[in-house]
Amino acid sequence: MNSKSDSKFGSAIYERIHTVRMSASERQAAINAMRDADAIVDAILWVTRKIEHFGAFLFMKPSVKH
């Protein structure tokens, strides 16, 4: 187990994964799945913010544009 990932992902879900009785390979698979899910959510949020920013830029009044 990587201690760097433990400090980065110290949420209750990761703590719960560590308390559940399972093999080391299953535990690693669960942690990898959570890491992948976190990355997907971060990417979706990033795209959403970029679309909002771009939409706000498109619909600004012409006098306000620089």
Side-chain angles (χ1 to χ4, degrees), residues 16-57:
R16 180 75 176 145
I17 290 172
H18 289 295
T19 61
V20 173
R21 189 178 2 189
M22 63 177 78
S23 68
S25 61
E26 290 173 335
R27 187 177 324 274
Q28 191 61 42
I31 290 172
N32 290 341
M34 289 302 300
R35 223 177 268 136
D36 292 346
D38 283 339
I40 290 169
V41 169
D42 288 343
I44 291 170
L45 289 174
W46 182 84
V47 169
T48 303
R49 285 188 209 115
K50 290 297 179 181
I51 291 171
E52 288 174 351
H53 178 70
F54 185 68
F57 178 74

